Amino acid sequence: MVVRDAFRRFAARTALAFGSPWAFGLAVIVVIAWAVTGPYFHYSDAWQLVINTGTTILLVFVLQNTQIRDTKALNLKLDELLRAIDGARTGLVNVEQLPDDELDRLCRELERLGRIAGVPAIEATTDSAVAAIAATSERAIAAVESVVPADSGAR
């Protein structure tokens, strides 16, 4: 458990570091250095392998940054919905900061509540599962619309 929490913190910090503009800038500098050294290494196969690896890493940095931004935006939107809906458990705001075992416990609890409410676990995309998801989505939309009037322009 301690190892899982330590790894989660390490992975989160690493993702932030490698998704930063500084990491991207460093990767660009490495690519420029690679290009400058081409004549020295006679444009060898090993020299080309370095850039293939380098550009792959560069792309990972860009994708990591995009994923971090998208996740933050999605979490903000969900947190706002939790705050806006009466009866919602606002304790789930910032749930991504919880240890893995607590997240697993919450998943099991929400699955149990879903079964009680008649919502099947989403294990396959069958017609009945899609219909259940659509019905649940419609109830969620109705709940949001009851809090935010349709003519308020907030969408």
Side-chain angles (χ1 to χ4, degrees), residues 145 148-155:
E145 287 176 345
V148 180
D151 62 344
S152 69
R155 290 196 179 242

Side-chain angles (χ1 to χ4, degrees), residues 5-30:
D5 290 339
F7 177 73
R8 180 183 53 80
R9 287 190 301 274
F10 169 77
R13 288 186 193 123
T14 303
L16 286 173
F18 284 119
S20 73
W22 292 105
F24 179 79
L26 179 64
V28 168
I29 289 170
V30 168

Side-chain angles (χ1 to χ4, degrees), residues 1-13 97-103:
M1 185 155 99
V2 172
V3 173
R4 285 176 59 167
D5 290 339
F7 177 73
R8 180 183 53 80
R9 287 190 301 274
F10 169 77
R13 288 186 193 123
Q97 303 299 322
L98 293 175
D100 290 342
D101 57 334
E102 185 65 17
L103 283 176

Side-chain angles (χ1 to χ4, degrees), residues 43-83:
Y43 304 100
S44 68
D45 289 343
W47 178 79
Q48 291 178 16
L49 181 61
V50 168
I51 197 57
N52 288 341
T53 304
T55 54
T56 301
I57 292 170
L58 187 65
L59 183 58
V60 168
F61 291 167
V62 171
L63 293 174
Q64 185 64 46
N65 181 270
T66 302
Q67 184 178 12
I68 289 168
R69 288 183 47 80
D70 288 348
T71 300
K72 281 182 183 178
L74 182 62
N75 284 338
L76 287 170
K77 292 173 186 179
L78 291 172
D79 291 350
E80 182 61 24
L81 286 173
L82 284 173
R83 288 184 191 99

Side-chain angles (χ1 to χ4, degrees), residues 68-132:
I68 289 168
R69 288 183 47 80
D70 288 348
T71 300
K72 281 182 183 178
L74 182 62
N75 284 338
L76 287 170
K77 292 173 186 179
L78 291 172
D79 291 350
E80 182 61 24
L81 286 173
L82 284 173
R83 288 184 191 99
I85 298 174
D86 288 336
R89 295 191 290 178
T90 56
L92 293 177
V93 172
N94 295 326
V95 71
E96 65 276 1
Q97 303 299 322
L98 293 175
D100 290 342
D101 57 334
E102 185 65 17
L103 283 176
D104 293 341
R105 187 192 65 73
L106 279 171
C107 282
R108 288 190 303 274
E109 180 184 343
L110 290 174
E111 287 172 359
R112 183 184 61 79
L113 291 172
R115 283 191 301 275
I116 291 170
V119 178
I122 303 172
E123 296 174 358
T125 54
T126 63
D127 290 339
S128 61
V130 171

